[in-house]
Amino acid sequence: MTKNLRVKSSEYIDETNRISFKFNGKTYHGFKGDTLASALLANDVHLVGRSFKYHRPRGIMTSGSEEPNAIVQVNPGTNRTEPNVRATEVEIYEGLEASSQNCWPSVEFDIGGINNFLSPFFPAGFYYKTFMWPASFWEKYEFFIRHSAGLGKSPTTTDPDIYDHRNVHCDVLVVGAGISGIMAAKNAAKNNFKTLLVEEKNELGGSTIYENNEFNKIDSKAPSEWLKKEIEELKTIKNLEIKTRTSVAAYHQYNYLLARENLTDHLEAKDKTNKIRQRLLKIRAKKVILATGALERPLIFNNNDRPGIMLSSAIKKYSEFYGVACGSKNVFFTNNDSAYESAISLYNKGINVEAIIDIREQSESKIVKKVKEAGIKIYWSHSIVDTTGYKRLNSISIMKLSNDGTSVTGSKISISCDCLGVAGGWTPAVHLYTQSGSKLKFDEEKKVFLPNQNTSEQISVGSCGGDFKIDEIIKNLNQKLKDTLNINETDLDSIKVEIDQENSKRNIWLLPSDKPIGKTKPFVDYQNDATAKDIKLALREGFRSIEHVKRYTTTGMGTDQGKLGNMHALGIIADTAGVKMGELGTTTFRPPYTPLTFGTIVGRNVGKFFDIFRRTPMNDWHVENKAEFENVGQWKRAWYYPINGETMHQAVQRESKAARESAGILDASTLGKIDIQGSDASEFLNRVYTNAWSKLAIGKCRYGLMLNEDGMVYDDGVTTRLGENHYIMTTTTGGAANVLGKLEDYLQTEWPELDVYLTSVTDHYATASLCGPNSKKILKKIIPDLDLSDENFPHMSFKETKIGNIQCRIMRISFTGEHSYEINVQASYGKDLWEKCIEAGKEFNITPYGTETMHLLRAEKGFIIVGQDTDGTMTPIDLQMDWIVSKKKYDFIGKRSLYRSDTMREDRKQLVGLLTDDPNIVLEEGAQIVSELNQSPVEMLGHVTSSYFSPNLKKSIALAVVRGGKDMMGKKLFVPMENKNINVTVANPVFYDEKNERLNA
Amino acid sequence: MFLINCPYCGERDQQEFKAGGEAHIERPKQPTELSDDEWAEYLFMRKNIKGVQFERWNHAHGCRKWFNMVRDTSNDEIKAIYKMGEKPPAQ
């Protein structure tokens, strides 16, 4: 039923190793060494997909990563499925399945194909123009648009594969293993440079490896023969690492490159398990040699997108490398000599070449003469004006081209064919070069953008540097290698090259048709269905910048990033607007060069390695006792401890009551702790806190508020003076690292004269906070020798002592308003300490409480939480904490800002308490506060920052920031919610034990 | 990603560092004697140059030391690195 187009054995195809695979549900056969594309072509399958907008049938166009049409879903319906994969890059293996994308119900019959016949109604900007009005309808439009468009399908189950990252450092990185890359790598490694050579394909040698122009010779040998020997030699060189199937995705500044190494995609499913699928190489190279080659351009003419229309160079590669004929009646359409090489390649294998259509007037090169001798008809100065064949090309029509190339004349000739090779010249692959920040310059003669200003240590060699002929390549490569590696001789010095000299070119970006442009479909971007007329329309509508035209027409915005069509788009814009291409510039080439999988990007940072988290030494106890956890910064903190199926509310109410009525215990190990030492430690604290520190006695603790230089509250915590020149500062859990950073900044840059040393000791200590009226009795049981009297150990003081043999630091400080102790021991004893406290507290019904209860208890006392009740716009005055701001100190961080006109405004938002008129209604944190209900628009006075139901007060309490709230005590305000308005009254934020009597209870 | 030559540790990846804004803005010794405008000038006003800029950087995930960098913001070329307190190189 299907034809076998395998024409000749190729050394790269193992015909003894027959492989079966499925495409769109049908089984085909290929051989080891085939790509999905070459195997399909060998089975005479050209139609592989549908285009994005018009759903036009599309075939395989190229043989590499630049493929715009043949993008497939690999292994659909499995957990290894991957969308948008280029069939030209998939190496086949037994059991491979692939399917077409963007078509329904099938690629052969696609309902969306009707768009093709409606295409006059789908010009550039169609979606923008049509679906904007009325705006409220967008949601309805979007559903249908998204449903009918779209490329492949993402996998919906967990990826079974392992991905990896590796850092690589090398002296020389060579990107691309064509003739230039191979010779560059060889010479670099031989000269003792640690060299890495990466190649996106599985074979080394680039296009030279199947070079068949008999008129080109290197050292009297065919270039392919010569290069094969070099490759053999390459594999024996020390200092050189070669990575195939490795594609550089990004080239960042300072020679930092990201490459994706593909390790198992070409293996059968059974060989993939427990292996690393893809590895992201993070390469830092001293020097980079780009040998990325060039991409052949198509020609832009009417209906240039039919299955069977391919790049001329791809036809040559399929024939020479894969031993596959892409058609049985072949025609070439060209503006340069390279199509003749492809024609001869087919001719030599006995494949029929009907004709060559050449837009040039003539060419005198030897390869052209050979084509003439072979009897192949050449139509000089002709252009293709139309093609036919819906799912497969079946004929072309050609006409004589006018002298200026803008129109066609004479009679139309029709040529029957099933495969058309187009050759529009070569575009250097400068994508990576520009990603590195280096700048291009347009070469008006060669009609290409070439590397011009390098920003890092790099060279571009071979065709990506603008050298297309082997003699130029070798000569310039040799000189560039000597310059960049600083060496005097290379292997290239003695090489003798003969080439087929003639190479004339005629460049016409948009070829004319006998029809007006409005009636034609000359595709520029195949994947996104952008045609030359769309580009012209964009220009007529006033777009000028290439970046705007790109976005308006979507040219170059597909998964192939316009690797084939971008130059034509630029050329058409330049011709239409009457400017030089060099002046237009190019659109920006952004990473990745070819798409990366998410797996490669995240590597091993999945599951529990997704983000760093920190656990306290008591963590196991919390887990055993069924605590629920919350994330605070990177910490996992016990949130509440539900028992007997309690809800969070029930658990928190119970914990809060217990802590005030008898005893509670909190794991406070996560608080930031900074050890401060040095003869200027007191002076330093004076400068960083708002209050005074010089007179704090040794063994005493003090609460401090830290501001930013703009006067806004930054952090708070208790600092204890351990010795004359020794303090320990505590910070908020989330702020620890930033506070240390900020303090270091001031010490190193503003006050280097101060003798102060800072050390983070957060992880060194575990902290249990024991609170409640029975806390003293519990501590007494644990440390019977310690005098806990108020005289010896008053509130806001510190003792260094021992629990058994374990050294501990105890601060009598309180964040709950209850009599409480914070016990610090070396972290490794944390769990023992905790269990000892629980054991000793049993008779007092000691209740472990989590962060939620801690928040509730401190809210009852009106204590702020930096970051919850403050948001970087609150001064201590706004918080009604004037008492902590020293009037006497000459300076501290943020002091001057407290006297700015803005921070002194009376109507700033200030922290107040709020009580709901109905004590059972708990406000929502973040709820807005207003003073009028019947105003429109209503002025927002502030918002609720903390809100709880207090079991100790048996009513709802809240903290809020309210504009001018300081003077609103007792004022009635409203909190409007979706379904009701809640009446509230401004109150003192200290709801509980205003006189602090419980601290000494 | 830059390759930054920390004056204390040598060449390291940019991800170990934190940028700290414009360099050579000294905190006023007597803030209380400054007018609101003068204080605002110190507090808020920063240059945002396309071209050569003097910056503070911190080797946050390394030695934690602050240092200065001269960087061309148009192409991210690092022109010089010097320690805190040292004189900036002549342009």
Side-chain angles (χ1 to χ4, degrees):
Chain A
M1 180 173 88
T2 52
K3 281 188 273 185
N4 183 359
L5 292 177
R6 198 68 68 167
V7 286
K8 180 206 121 192
S9 56
S10 156
E11 62 186 287
Y12 301 101
I13 297 294
D14 179 4
E15 289 193 43
T16 64
N17 195 342
R18 194 160 176 261
I19 288 169
S20 62
F21 65 97
K22 276 187 182 172
F23 182 67
N24 285 336
K26 195 174 161 190
T27 302
Y28 295 94
H29 297 284
F31 298 115
K32 181 92 191 143
D34 266 325
T35 61
L36 180 58
S38 70
L40 287 171
L41 289 169
N43 287 283
D44 201 25
V45 176
H46 274 258
L47 172 62
V48 289
R50 293 273 177 162
S51 67
F52 192 69
K53 197 157 83 178
Y54 302 136
H55 293 251
R56 279 171 71 102
R58 288 283 164 78
I60 297 157
M61 175 118 201
T62 73
S63 59
S65 60
E66 71 272 33
E67 177 62 38
N69 289 342
I71 53 174
V72 297
Q73 182 96 27
V74 173
N75 296 320
T78 72
N79 55 3
R80 283 204 167 89
T81 192
E82 190 179 345
N84 306 339
V85 180
R86 292 154 298 284
T88 49
E89 290 196 301
V90 177
E91 296 173 46
I92 61 164
Y93 50 84
E94 191 64 36
L96 169 73
E97 287 192 35
S99 62
S100 301
Q101 300 182 159
N102 200 31
C103 51
W104 185 84
S106 78
V107 69
E108 292 285 339
F109 177 74
D110 174 19
I111 278 178
I114 197 158
N115 283 2
N116 180 39
F117 304 105
L118 299 175
S119 67
F121 307 113
F122 282 82
F126 172 75
Y127 290 94
Y128 295 128
K129 289 168 184 163
T130 311
F131 296 112
M132 291 311 288
W133 318 106
S136 60
F137 269 38
W138 170 247
E139 281 180 20
K140 293 190 179 70
Y141 293 139
E142 192 186 16
F143 175 81
F144 288 103
I145 292 170
R146 297 230 182 271
H147 213 67
S148 60
L151 296 169
K153 289 196 169 53
S154 304
T156 50
T157 48
T158 307
D159 189 332
D161 286 314
I162 305 166
Y163 299 83
D164 196 30
H165 285 185
R166 193 183 131 194
N167 288 303
V168 181
H169 296 265
C170 58
D171 295 325
V172 176
L173 170 70
V174 183
V175 184
I179 183 169
S180 311
I182 283 168
M183 295 315 289
K186 188 181 167 198
N187 282 289
K190 273 186 158 179
N191 283 286
N192 291 323
F193 291 93
K194 189 183 163 201
T195 305
L196 174 63
L197 171 64
V198 298
E199 165 58 43
E200 68 176 354
K201 300 200 166 60
N202 60 338
E203 288 283 348
L204 303 180
S207 62
T208 313
I209 204 72
Y210 54 89
E211 173 60 56
N212 65 344
N213 186 335
E214 63 194 270
F215 305 109
N216 292 339
K217 293 267 191 290
I218 303 176
D219 285 345
S220 313
K221 290 193 194 106
S224 54
E225 291 306 313
W226 178 85
L227 189 60
K228 275 172 208 164
K229 250 191 79 194
E230 292 293 322
I231 292 171
E232 280 313 306
E233 207 185 315
L234 196 68
K235 290 173 180 164
T236 65
I237 297 175
K238 281 186 292 181
N239 260 336
L240 174 64
E241 191 180 0
I242 302 171
K243 287 201 173 288
T244 53
R245 298 189 178 99
T246 302
S247 166
V248 173
Y251 185 170
H252 297 294
Q253 296 154 320
Y254 293 84
N255 281 347
Y256 182 72
L257 297 93
L258 298 174
R260 186 255 297 127
E261 184 183 13
N262 217 332
L263 297 159
T264 66
D265 275 1
H266 60 292
L267 301 178
E268 284 179 45
K270 66 178 167 61
D271 297 326
K272 289 184 205 271
T273 26
N274 294 326
K275 284 186 189 150
I276 293 166
R277 180 191 170 201
Q278 291 175 344
R279 182 183 280 133
L280 187 71
L281 304 176
K282 304 174 178 181
I283 307 166
R284 184 75 78 170
K286 294 214 172 83
K287 295 171 197 288
V288 172
I289 299 178
L290 292 170
T292 47
L295 302 174
E296 189 169 43
R297 291 199 289 263
L299 290 163
I300 310 301
F301 54 95
N302 185 23
N303 284 322
N304 59 345
D305 66 324
R306 300 193 187 281
I309 301 181
M310 305 173 69
L311 293 180
S312 150
S313 59
I315 292 176
K316 179 167 134 192
K317 180 161 188 185
Y318 286 118
S319 138
E320 293 285 339
F321 190 91
Y322 298 104
V324 172
C326 295
S328 41
K329 282 196 285 183
N330 296 279
V331 174
F332 289 92
F333 183 27
T334 186
N335 68 2
N336 68 88
D337 278 356
S338 47
Y340 292 81
E341 294 182 356
S342 304
I344 286 299
S345 165
L346 299 188
Y347 175 78
N348 286 343
K349 291 183 176 56
I351 306 164
N352 181 24
V353 179
E354 299 279 317
I356 295 183
I357 323 298
D358 198 322
I359 68 171
R360 298 175 298 177
E361 274 157 25
Q362 59 163 356
S363 169
E364 292 301 319
S365 58
K366 292 175 188 162
I367 192 86
V368 173
K369 280 186 190 140
K370 192 169 162 88
V371 166
K372 284 182 189 161
E373 284 160 22
I376 297 167
K377 170 90 178 145
I378 303 172
Y379 293 90
W380 297 106
S381 288
H382 272 70
S383 178
I384 298 181
V385 295
D386 203 356
T387 65
T388 61
Y390 185 56
K391 290 181 199 164
R392 178 71 186 269
L393 178 72
N394 58 34
S395 82
I396 58 168
S397 311
I398 64 170
M399 287 174 80
K400 179 103 177 136
L401 203 53
S402 67
N403 286 341
D404 64 359
T406 58
S407 59
V408 281
T409 58
S411 55
K412 213 186 277 188
I413 305 166
S414 179
I415 301 171
S416 158
C417 59
D418 62 357
C419 184
L420 172 69
V422 288
W426 295 83
T427 304
V430 292
H431 311 72
L432 293 176
Y433 176 81
T434 57
Q435 279 181 24
S436 74
S438 298
K439 298 277 181 273
L440 300 170
K441 193 178 172 191
F442 190 71
D443 184 322
E444 292 287 347
E445 187 204 336
K446 290 183 176 171
K447 297 282 179 208
V448 289
F449 283 96
L450 293 178
N452 186 38
Q453 273 175 34
N454 298 358
T455 52
S456 52
E457 275 209 61
Q458 64 182 188
I459 49 172
S460 296
V461 299
S463 54
C464 75
D467 299 328
F468 297 106
K469 311 228 82 183
I470 292 179
D471 58 339
E472 288 171 12
I473 290 172
I474 299 286
K475 193 179 104 204
N476 292 333
L477 170 65
N478 197 12
Q479 194 53 51
K480 284 178 182 173
L481 281 179
K482 285 178 178 173
D483 293 345
T484 193
L485 300 178
N486 203 15
I487 52 178
N488 293 323
E489 50 188 54
T490 73
D491 290 1
L492 298 164
D493 287 337
S494 56
I495 289 177
K496 299 221 165 21
V497 182
E498 296 161 45
I499 62 148
D500 186 5
Q501 274 300 348
E502 290 286 321
N503 193 351
S504 63
K505 251 189 89 168
R506 181 183 190 187
N507 203 74
I508 301 173
W509 293 114
L510 172 60
L511 290 155
S513 170
D514 55 331
K515 292 180 190 159
I517 183 157
K519 303 261 185 220
T520 63
K521 288 212 178 73
F523 287 92
V524 174
D525 181 312
Y526 296 81
Q527 196 177 97
N528 279 344
D529 280 338
T531 65
K533 66 183 173 189
D534 291 322
I535 292 171
K536 291 193 173 228
L537 174 69
L539 290 168
R540 277 207 306 280
E541 292 188 359
F543 290 92
R544 284 294 173 270
S545 152
I546 173 67
E547 296 282 0
H548 291 157
V549 173
K550 168 183 166 175
R551 280 157 184 77
Y552 191 58
T553 62
T554 71
T555 303
M557 289 173 72
T559 59
D560 60 325
Q561 291 280 290
K563 291 186 180 75
L564 295 184
N566 272 351
M567 286 300 291
H568 302 94
L570 285 170
I572 292 165
I573 294 168
D575 286 351
T576 311
V579 295
K580 284 189 165 176
M581 280 182 76
E583 292 162 12
L584 272 179
T586 62
T587 52
T588 314
F589 299 111
R590 291 194 180 82
Y593 177 65
T594 49
L596 290 174
T597 58
F598 281 114
T600 312
I601 294 167
V602 298
R604 297 194 186 250
N605 298 333
V606 291
K608 63 179 177 177
F609 301 116
F610 178 68
D611 194 14
I612 295 167
F613 58 87
R614 302 166 82 184
R615 286 173 169 157
T616 74
M618 291 81 141
N619 186 73
D620 287 353
W621 191 94
H622 305 322
V623 173
E624 283 159 26
N625 288 274
K626 309 278 187 296
E628 291 291 331
F629 288 84
E630 76 165 332
N631 297 328
V632 183
Q634 291 170 331
W635 288 99
K636 298 278 174 198
R637 291 198 74 177
W639 192 10
Y640 58 96
Y641 300 80
I643 46 176
N644 303 327
E646 280 176 326
T647 63
M648 173 168 161
H649 177 76
Q650 289 164 339
V652 169
Q653 297 289 306
R654 172 181 50 79
E655 290 170 12
S656 305
K657 254 175 109 65
R660 293 232 187 272
E661 286 171 5
S662 179
I665 184 167
L666 171 81
D667 180 355
S669 307
T670 63
L671 283 184
K673 299 177 248 328
I674 301 171
D675 186 271
I676 302 174
Q677 300 193 42
S679 55
D680 293 316
S682 303
E683 170 62 17
F684 180 64
L685 289 174
N686 264 332
R687 296 187 192 185
V688 301
Y689 277 133
T690 60
N691 47 350
W693 288 79
S694 316
K695 288 181 188 146
L696 184 70
I698 293 167
K700 296 287 182 195
C701 314
R702 184 165 286 172
Y703 173 76
L705 204 56
M706 199 181 287
L707 308 185
N708 255 334
E709 203 68 273
D710 61 8
M712 304 305 158
V713 171
Y714 183 69
D715 203 81
D716 67 346
V718 170
T719 294
T720 303
R721 189 167 198 174
L722 301 175
E724 177 63 28
N725 298 321
H726 191 186
Y727 292 82
I728 183 130
M729 171 189 280
T730 58
T731 72
T732 57
T733 296
N738 289 335
V739 169
L740 180 68
K742 178 181 152 100
L743 298 184
E744 276 288 350
D745 186 353
Y746 275 91
L747 265 184
Q748 289 180 33
T749 67
E750 297 293 352
W751 309 318
E753 71 281 3
L754 293 186
D755 174 38
V756 177
Y757 303 89
L758 305 175
T759 311
S760 166
V761 293
T762 304
D763 292 332
H764 300 205
Y765 292 95
T767 309
S769 177
L770 203 55
C771 92
N774 285 319
S775 58
K776 190 173 178 177
K777 290 176 197 152
I778 296 170
L779 187 61
K780 189 76 193 168
K781 279 178 75 181
I782 298 169
I783 316 174
D785 302 342
L786 187 60
D787 177 0
L788 295 178
S789 65
D790 286 345
E791 295 70 42
N792 182 57
F793 197 177
H795 182 59
M796 296 308 272
S797 68
F798 151 84
K799 292 287 176 216
E800 179 119 35
T801 176
K802 277 182 172 180
I803 303 176
N805 291 324
I806 310 304
Q807 202 71 29
C808 70
R809 289 171 173 174
I810 304 176
M811 282 85 168
R812 190 177 157 191
I813 54 180
S814 176
F815 192 42
T816 60
E818 296 297 318
H819 189 125
S820 54
Y821 301 93
E822 280 190 6
I823 310 166
N824 297 273
V825 295
Q826 189 183 310
S828 48
Y829 298 116
K831 193 165 171 244
D832 295 336
L833 167 71
W834 184 268
E835 283 167 347
K836 218 175 175 75
C837 292
I838 296 280
E839 186 57 36
K842 252 185 189 158
E843 59 178 294
F844 306 102
N845 185 30
I846 190 168
T847 302
Y849 66 91
T851 49
E852 193 63 22
T853 293
M854 174 186 84
H855 285 183
L856 192 161
L857 295 172
R858 64 85 208 178
E860 289 177 338
K861 286 293 295 173
F863 294 149
I864 59 157
I865 289 189
V866 174
Q868 176 161 346
D869 302 297
T870 73
D871 62 0
T873 65
M874 303 294 287
T875 70
I877 320 301
D878 299 337
L879 294 171
Q880 306 214 47
M881 290 172 76
D882 313 46
W883 53 272
I884 202 170
V885 180
S886 165
K887 304 276 183 301
K888 287 184 201 147
K889 283 201 292 184
Y890 179 70
D891 191 16
F892 56 82
I893 296 171
K895 172 163 178 163
R896 175 63 186 81
S897 291
L898 299 179
Y899 300 93
R900 291 178 57 236
S901 55
D902 182 55
T903 47
M904 295 202 333
R905 273 190 299 119
E906 286 298 315
D907 63 344
R908 289 177 63 82
K909 282 182 189 163
Q910 289 139 0
L911 186 82
V912 294
L914 279 189
L915 291 172
T916 48
D917 291 2
D918 176 347
N920 291 315
I921 296 178
V922 179
L923 297 171
E924 277 186 33
E925 287 173 0
Q928 309 286 291
I929 300 162
V930 300
S931 61
E932 294 288 337
L933 283 175
N934 301 319
Q935 227 175 35
S936 180
V938 67
E939 189 199 8
M940 193 271 271
L941 290 180
H943 65 276
V944 177
T945 60
S946 296
S947 175
Y948 305 91
F949 186 83
S950 160
N952 299 300
L953 297 159
K954 298 188 177 57
K955 64 180 178 187
S956 154
I957 57 166
L959 298 174
V961 291
V962 176
R963 199 180 300 282
K966 212 184 276 190
D967 301 321
M968 284 189 185
M969 199 59 73
K971 191 172 160 69
K972 298 278 183 195
L973 297 173
F974 308 98
V975 176
M977 299 302 290
E978 204 175 352
N979 303 317
K980 60 184 172 189
N981 295 308
I982 303 168
N983 297 346
V984 296
T985 307
V986 178
N988 182 343
V990 185
F991 300 101
Y992 188 79
D993 184 27
E994 209 176 322
K995 292 178 183 152
N996 291 327
E997 284 161 347
R998 300 188 61 85
L999 287 173
N1000 296 314
Chain B
M1 185 150 48
F2 304 172
L3 188 63
I4 297 174
N5 193 5
C6 169
Y8 304 93
C9 306
E11 285 187 338
R12 294 289 190 280
D13 245 32
Q14 184 186 352
Q15 64 180 12
E16 293 184 16
F17 297 84
K18 215 171 110 176
E22 192 181 341
H24 304 297
I25 298 177
E26 201 182 338
R27 188 175 188 273
K29 290 274 182 287
Q30 290 154 331
T32 47
E33 282 158 40
L34 300 183
S35 69
D36 268 12
D37 283 349
E38 286 165 329
W39 179 248
E41 182 69 26
Y42 158 71
L43 196 57
F44 301 122
M45 304 314 279
R46 296 292 182 273
K47 290 182 195 129
N48 187 12
I49 298 166
K50 182 180 179 183
V52 175
Q53 181 160 289
F54 292 75
E55 298 174 336
R56 293 157 16 101
W57 283 76
N58 180 227
H59 196 182
H61 299 285
C63 63
R64 288 189 4 213
K65 284 282 192 185
W66 284 88
F67 58 88
N68 295 308
M69 179 192 288
V70 187
R71 182 174 68 102
D72 187 329
T73 59
S74 67
N75 59 11
D76 286 331
E77 186 192 343
I78 297 171
K79 295 186 168 291
I81 280 176
Y82 52 102
K83 293 179 181 174
M84 279 294 155
E86 287 181 358
K87 278 221 168 84
Q91 276 194 57

